[in-house]
């Protein structure tokens, strides 16, 4: 093992490593009855590594859960990084996120990726407006889809009128029957799957109407399917849609796991809302602890739940 500098010998043995860690399942699990007994995924790897190198391990769990280490204004570090910098511990055992500031003062074990993390905020929703008003009939399609549909109808109207006018030999009957307004009504009938009393005589004009009717069939099927799903699936809306919205609401609470990895990084985040959220968490204002016993609280009103989607998926 390559040793950088000198450490204070807290164990009396040069072949014993002081490993600073805290309770952060499933990586490190600390038993309150036996603080120096650590299990978990990273603890198992640490034991394998120690046995391979030929050293023993002593765990120091007297650390704040979730305090991986951030840089203070005076240049010193808190948490596990601070323990390593002050050389009061040989190893910091935790799923610590790599940052350039930390890399400048401590060595990471080859930047080994041990977790893919996607943080999500879960907000209880309220039922959105249902199909009780006539405006809801537009719900199945987005506004852009309706705009494209109207533009397509106008384009098909122009094409129908142009083919009737320019096709040779020109049909006098078609020219009188399919004016610009009549052509628009004809295209509309195709879209809504209605018949018509007359059809164009020329093949090019008939192709336009057939293509429009095919497009209308596709739209009709799609609209019907989406309309059924809108009427049968409950959709919800929320009052809080971002971290910025949440920190602006003093009557909302945050349900979060103790000692999560990203809380320390929020304190120095470039986003004002994350820094405010970090201050609120450290102060304990409107913050509740997420445990298997308190999971039901995520459905309470005015509550935002922070959770790791990857861990939640793996556990289910």
């Amino acid at each position: 093992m390559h040793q950088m500098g000198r450490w204070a010998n807290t164990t009396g043995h040069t072949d014993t490593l002081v490993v600073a860690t805290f309770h952060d399942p499933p990586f490190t699990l600390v038993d309150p009855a036996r603080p120096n007994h650590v299990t978990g995924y990273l603890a198992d790897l640490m034991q394998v590594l120690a046995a391979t190198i030929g050293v023993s391990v002593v765990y120091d769990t007297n650390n704040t859960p979730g305090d991986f280490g951030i840089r203070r204004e005076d240049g010193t570090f808190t948490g596990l990084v601070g323990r390593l910098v002050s050389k009061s511990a040989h190893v910091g055992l935790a799923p610590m996120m790599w940052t350039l500031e930390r890399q400048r003062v401590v060595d990471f074990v080859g930047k080994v990726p041990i977790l893919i993390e996607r943080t999500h905020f879960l907000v209880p929703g309220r039922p959105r407006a249902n199909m009780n008003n006539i405006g809801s009939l537009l719900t199945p399609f987005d506004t852009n889809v309706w705009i494209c549909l109207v533009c397509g109808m106008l384009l098909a109207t122009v094409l129908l009128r142009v083919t009737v006018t320019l096709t040779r030999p020109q049909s006098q009957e078609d020219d009188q029957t399919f004016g610009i307004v009549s052509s628009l009504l004809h295209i509309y009938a195709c879209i809504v799957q209605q018949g018509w009393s007359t059809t164009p005589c020329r093949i090019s004009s008939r192709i336009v109407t057939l293509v429009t009717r095919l497009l209308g069939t596709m739209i009709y099927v799609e609209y019907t399917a989406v309309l059924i799903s809108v009427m049968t699936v409950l959709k919800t809306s929320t009052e809080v849609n971002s971290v910025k919205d949440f920190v602006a609401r003093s009557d909302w609470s945050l349900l979060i796991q103790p000692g999560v990895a990203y809380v320390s990084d929020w304190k120095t985040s470039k986003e004002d809302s994350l820094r405010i959220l970090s201050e609120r968490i450290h102060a304990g204002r409107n913050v509740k602890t997420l445990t298997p016993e308190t999971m039901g609280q995520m459905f309470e009103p005015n509550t935002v739940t922070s959770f790791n989607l990857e861990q939640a998926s793996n556990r289910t």
Side-chain angles (χ1 to χ4, degrees), residues 96 98-100 103 107-114:
M96 187 182 301
W98 181 93
T99 64
L100 183 58
Q103 178 65 50
D107 292 327
F108 285 80
V109 184
K111 302 178 188 176
V112 179
I114 60 173

Side-chain angles (χ1 to χ4, degrees), residues 78-135:
T78 65
L80 296 186
V81 176
R83 296 288 307 276
L84 298 177
V85 172
S86 65
K87 297 183 179 179
S88 61
H90 300 91
V91 179
L93 189 65
M96 187 182 301
M97 184 181 299
W98 181 93
T99 64
L100 183 58
E101 286 186 340
R102 292 171 180 170
Q103 178 65 50
R104 288 171 178 169
V105 295
V106 298
D107 292 327
F108 285 80
V109 184
K111 302 178 188 176
V112 179
I114 60 173
L115 171 67
I116 299 175
E117 186 174 74
R118 289 187 294 165
T119 304
H120 291 253
F121 291 94
L122 181 67
V123 182
R126 299 177 179 177
R128 214 159 53 187
N130 52 26
M131 304 297 294
N132 291 334
N133 57 75
I134 191 170

Side-chain angles (χ1 to χ4, degrees), residues 14 73 114 127 158 193 215 229 232 298 310 313:
T14 57
E73 294 182 358
I114 60 173
V158 173
Q193 300 297 295
L215 176 63
S229 66
T232 56
M298 69 174 60
E310 293 291 338
S313 300

Side-chain angles (χ1 to χ4, degrees), residues 8 39 41 45 61 63 65 106 115 123 158 179 220 225 232 265 283 285 289:
T39 57
Y41 169 61
L45 291 180
T61 59
N63 303 284
V106 298
L115 171 67
V123 182
V158 173
Y220 176 79
T232 56
D265 298 310
R285 297 196 309 269
T289 303

